[in-house]
Amino acid sequence: MSREVRVRFAPSPTGPLHIGGVRTALYNYLFAKKMGGKFLLRIEDTDQGRFVPGAEDYIKESLEWLGIAPEESPWKPGDVGPYRQSERKEMYKQYALDLIEKGHAYYAFDTAEELEAMRERLTAARVVQPQYNGITRTQMKNSLTLPAEEVKARLESGDPYVIRVKIPLKEDVRLNDMIRGWVMVHSSTLDDKVLMKSDGMPTYHLANIVDDHLMGITHVIRGEEWLPSAPLHVLLYKFFGWEDTMPQFAHLPLLLKPDGNGKLSKRDGDKLGFPVFPLNWTDPFSGEKSPGFREQGYLPDAFLNFLAFLGWNPGDDREIFSLEELVEAFSVERIGKSGTKFDIAKAKWFNEQYLRSKPNSELVEFLTASAQMEDIEIPLEKAFAIISLVKDRVTFPDELWKESRFVMVAPTEFDQEVATKKWNVDAVKVLSSYSVALDGFTGNFDAVTAKSLLESTAEAEGIKLGKVMQAVRLAVTGMGGGPDLMEVFAILGSVEVAKRIRFALDTLTVVA
RNA sequence: GGUCCGUUCGUCUAGGGGUUAGGACGUAUCCCUUUCACGGAUAAAACACGGGUUCGAUUCCCGUACGGACUACCA
């Protein structure tokens, strides 16, 4: 009785995968794994006019980056393929014809102009909802109103036509959504949706039912924007006689813009300065570029963790979850009902957590890679020391280098504001004698030694170390802030520190 | 307009007929400290509104308001 769980993610290749789509894919993946089932991907490319080259690869790469690649897909077909709807084109017609035979669908020959005229007429007559439905279809050109011979003649002469579903006049359509519970809609509010377009392609409504059925899909987890057409889908399962294997539906809450209201869009990301796409994307037609989370420095596991919590939670206080832990903890019951505002600050926090928990050896690679872009080589031992110095200070991997660049590159200029405030006679005195002390230093120059030497120097001058510490930092790093100075000294070595101090002494002048 | 969905701190949320309504992000303050950050501590901050039901509603029911989705030969 119980079938193997099979879920699908079914994007259309019309552009870069939106973050909401990524979350839908993630929830599908989590559900499949949790249930010991299969996660598959089907490309919904029945609208040939909206096809965008590269979009399919983008989808593939995005999911692979996150480690949630489907087990069956156009690139890794299982035995229910093909996995692109355009390649399944020939399969759909027989199902549409089957529906016509059963009296649940019909041919419609109305032109775009005639449809428009119908809508205008109805609007003028103050009909609340002008649509092609059980009432209006009696006045249109279709196989329900036209004589059988004319229908036959039109079909044979190649007249363009569509196939529409024949929505019953009075019927309550119910569906039990896994997230929302029972949803009931009266068929009179539904319209006779086109099932088969005049170009011979099915619409989403037909294709998704036929494919889900043929592919053995047990659960449809998709965005809330599909909820209004779900009753139509239920009706179609019934018309086909597939009620017994009809998948269960779960309609996910939408991802909302951080400020104000409405669905999260690329525009919001641009305005507030964050990506809404997983990867960088360049539109092949307009050349317009969109930033991606990956290129901004988000780690895949951190991004995944963040995404999972946009609308779902485990029911306890834990927040850091690996993919495996997410699978373990996931359940559809714990998905919220209301829309979720997108909060980039939380995403950054997740990234920081993941970055800090990474082994230093991995962070070292980030650091050396960044440095190499400037042709700077960091000795491995030094790189490790630098990492422990800065890892708690950054959100993104590339900041590792930005925060520590001063270690490898001696300052040539100094923060003016700090210089004005802190560069004084006392500082010059301490630094001068410290540089001399450094020259005579032999032994292991570690942080403790560096500090005690500095302390005794200051004491000898009769100056409190705290008074001149900022100036010391300025002299050696050029900046007023940064990681533990004595640790920096240890990495630099006594010779380099002395050298930098002398340069500062030569360059900076006491103002007051 | 119509249909459907939703509404707990600024944000993500836990909770559920009787709680000091809990946590996290963010914010503020304090501690640590040579700076900044990390870390630790503390604080401010929420049940949209109105009716029921009930001994008692944030929780259940109904309205209202507000928000959202959908309303194509797009998905």
Side-chain angles (χ1 to χ4, degrees):
Chain A
M1 178 64 215
S2 72
R3 297 185 287 161
E4 178 201 37
V5 165
R6 288 170 67 82
V7 298
R8 87 303 198 269
F9 177 51
S12 38
T14 53
L17 190 56
H18 185 271
I19 184 171
V22 181
R23 189 194 57 170
T24 301
L26 172 61
Y27 284 6
N28 271 283
Y29 176 92
L30 295 176
F31 182 73
K33 294 296 168 185
K34 172 76 178 187
M35 305 300 285
K38 290 233 158 51
F39 170 52
L40 63 194
L41 183 139
R42 182 176 68 226
I43 295 289
E44 309 236 319
D45 55 350
T46 52
D47 187 350
Q48 299 163 321
R50 293 212 305 165
F51 176 78
V52 175
E56 201 179 294
D57 286 338
Y58 183 97
I59 291 164
K60 178 172 186 279
E61 199 182 339
S62 298
L63 299 184
E64 283 170 359
W65 175 57
L66 292 168
I68 55 171
E71 282 160 89
E72 298 175 23
S73 68
W75 326 288
K76 193 188 168 194
D79 44 22
V80 293
Y83 290 76
R84 272 182 210 97
Q85 288 184 329
S86 59
E87 293 167 13
R88 301 168 69 85
K89 183 177 177 182
E90 300 314 316
M91 310 171 56
Y92 302 110
K93 188 158 188 187
Q94 54 168 305
Y95 289 97
L97 293 179
D98 177 45
L99 247 29
I100 291 180
E101 234 167 82
K102 290 174 173 162
H104 294 308
Y106 58 89
Y107 295 104
F109 301 97
D110 315 276
T111 63
E113 294 72 35
E114 286 166 335
L115 289 171
E116 185 49 37
M118 179 266 279
R119 288 191 191 103
E120 275 173 23
R121 199 168 62 241
L122 292 177
T123 308
R126 297 212 275 179
V127 170
V128 278
Q129 197 160 13
Q131 56 183 18
Y132 209 116
N133 60 21
I135 297 167
T136 52
R137 68 173 164 243
T138 58
Q139 288 142 38
M140 305 299 289
K141 288 199 185 100
N142 54 56
S143 59
L144 265 21
T145 58
L146 265 21
E149 311 81 62
E150 186 179 342
V151 172
K152 191 162 180 266
R154 277 175 179 265
L155 256 23
E156 278 167 3
S157 69
D159 261 19
Y161 68 89
V162 300
I163 295 175
R164 285 181 182 271
V165 62
K166 188 180 170 192
I167 296 288
L169 234 33
K170 293 180 199 168
E171 188 176 325
D172 282 331
V173 186
R174 301 157 183 280
L175 87 123
N176 194 197
D177 188 272
M178 290 198 280
I179 293 171
R180 283 149 221 287
W182 284 103
V183 175
M184 201 182 78
V185 181
H186 194 80
S187 65
S188 62
T189 65
L190 268 26
D191 64 340
D192 288 358
K193 281 267 183 300
V194 169
L195 261 23
M196 191 68 89
K197 299 184 266 189
S198 55
D199 66 358
M201 274 289 193
T203 60
Y204 170 83
H205 301 106
L206 207 221
N208 108 85
I209 269 75
V210 169
D211 288 345
D212 283 348
H213 177 255
L214 261 23
M215 293 177 160
I217 300 302
T218 56
H219 302 263
V220 169
I221 303 171
R222 80 232 289 201
E224 192 187 349
E225 66 269 28
W226 293 108
L227 196 50
S229 55
L232 166 65
H233 303 332
V234 170
L235 236 27
L236 286 171
Y237 278 102
K238 192 181 141 199
F239 292 161
F240 279 121
W242 299 336
E243 302 104 309
D244 292 349
T245 54
M246 182 174 82
Q248 278 199 267
F249 293 99
H251 289 94
L252 267 21
L254 263 14
L255 255 33
L256 271 22
K257 53 183 67 184
D259 60 339
N261 299 108
K263 212 158 51 156
L264 179 69
S265 69
K266 167 168 161 44
R267 182 117 189 78
D268 302 308
D270 292 346
K271 194 174 69 181
L272 276 0
F274 62 80
V276 298
F277 302 114
L279 276 34
N280 275 358
W281 167 260
T282 303
D283 187 282
F285 303 121
S286 68
E288 187 190 8
K289 289 183 187 334
S290 306
F293 278 90
R294 181 179 64 182
E295 288 79 2
Q296 295 250 311
Y298 287 89
L299 303 166
D301 36 6
F303 181 62
L304 208 57
N305 198 156
F306 165 69
L307 222 45
F309 273 71
L310 253 29
W312 172 87
N313 75 85
D316 55 39
D317 287 346
R318 293 176 301 156
E319 291 203 278
I320 303 298
F321 283 79
S322 67
L323 183 55
E324 293 70 31
E325 289 166 333
L326 284 172
V327 168
E328 181 55 36
F330 190 76
S331 79
V332 176
E333 291 71 45
R334 296 210 63 87
I335 296 175
K337 291 177 169 65
S338 47
T340 303
K341 285 191 182 174
F342 188 82
D343 181 16
I344 196 67
K346 191 80 180 216
K348 287 183 180 170
W349 179 79
F350 271 111
N351 216 48
E352 286 163 5
Q353 301 308 307
Y354 276 83
L355 208 52
R356 280 169 207 161
S357 67
K358 286 241 180 279
N360 284 182
S361 56
E362 222 171 297
L363 299 179
V364 159
E365 286 175 33
F366 287 130
L367 178 72
T368 51
S370 301
Q372 259 159 22
M373 308 256 276
E374 293 184 43
D375 284 324
I376 294 170
E377 294 290 335
I378 309 176
L380 204 55
E381 200 178 326
K382 218 173 223 193
F384 271 94
I386 289 173
I387 287 300
S388 49
L389 218 53
V390 296
K391 71 183 293 189
D392 284 344
R393 315 174 60 83
V394 301
T395 303
F396 300 112
D398 65 337
E399 292 171 334
L400 255 11
W401 170 240
K402 286 182 192 152
E403 282 284 315
S404 63
R405 189 176 181 281
F406 72 90
V407 174
M408 301 306 295
V409 184
T412 51
E413 47 193 51
F414 300 85
D415 186 300
Q416 212 29 253
E417 206 178 322
V418 180
T420 321
K421 276 209 254 191
K422 304 286 180 180
W423 194 258
N424 52 36
V425 188
D426 285 352
V428 170
K429 273 192 212 161
V430 172
L431 281 164
S432 302
S433 50
Y434 189 53
S435 67
V436 173
L438 252 21
D439 288 340
F441 182 85
T442 52
N444 184 24
F445 192 64
D446 59 20
V448 177
T449 314
K451 185 166 189 185
S452 61
L453 188 57
L454 183 57
E455 272 169 344
S456 55
T457 306
E459 205 179 326
E461 295 288 347
I463 294 164
K464 286 199 75 173
L465 185 54
K467 291 273 191 191
V468 296
M469 206 58 197
Q470 283 282 81
V472 175
R473 175 181 290 282
L474 182 73
V476 178
T477 70
M479 301 175 295
D484 189 288
L485 228 209
M486 294 306 128
E487 295 291 346
V488 172
F489 277 23
I491 297 173
L492 255 23
S494 59
V495 175
E496 174 68 12
V497 172
K499 193 174 136 199
R500 288 188 183 191
I501 289 175
R502 256 181 225 106
F503 177 74
L505 253 14
D506 291 345
T507 311
L508 289 165
T509 50
V510 177
V511 180

